[in-house]
Amino acid sequence: MLRPAMSQILKPGESYYEFVVAVARKARQIASEAEENHVMLDEKPVTMAVNMFASGELKLSDSDVSVESHEEQPAEEAEEPQQAEATAEEE
């Protein structure tokens, strides 16, 4: 369970979905940086990310999280394999 609760972190009108995605992205970034720098983390990356949002260090409005951007990404990714298959078939 998150401490503090999401309802305490989010402002009225902010999306729970966008918050969860933003926390997950930041947690992945924290974990990746720690691995690259060979640093042992004392806390889990998700806990660290939630605490950053709770303290105001990070804001949801600063994150590039939107439903539109997520819907467009899979479509772009789906085009690449089709183009590669078409090129392979032509040869």
Side-chain angles (χ1 to χ4, degrees), residues 13-78:
E14 291 184 327
S15 168
Y16 282 88
Y17 172 79
E18 289 180 1
F19 176 73
V20 170
V21 172
V23 168
R25 283 185 179 176
K26 185 61 181 176
R28 282 190 213 114
Q29 181 185 12
I30 291 168
S32 175
E33 289 174 2
E35 185 177 336
E36 288 174 6
N37 297 324
H38 304 289
V39 174
M40 278 297 264
L41 298 174
D42 295 331
E43 289 182 298
K44 292 184 178 182
V46 172
T47 302
M48 294 172 72
V50 168
N51 289 336
M52 289 174 153
F53 280 99
S55 69
E57 185 178 337
L58 292 176
K59 295 182 182 181
L60 191 57
S61 60
D62 296 339
S63 302
D64 183 26
V65 180
S66 65
V67 176
E68 293 88 29
S69 67
H70 290 291
E71 289 176 358
E72 291 174 9
Q73 274 185 329
E76 292 172 2
E77 292 173 2

Side-chain angles (χ1 to χ4, degrees), residues 7 9-15:
S7 60
I9 298 171
L10 293 177
K11 296 176 183 157
E14 291 184 327
S15 168

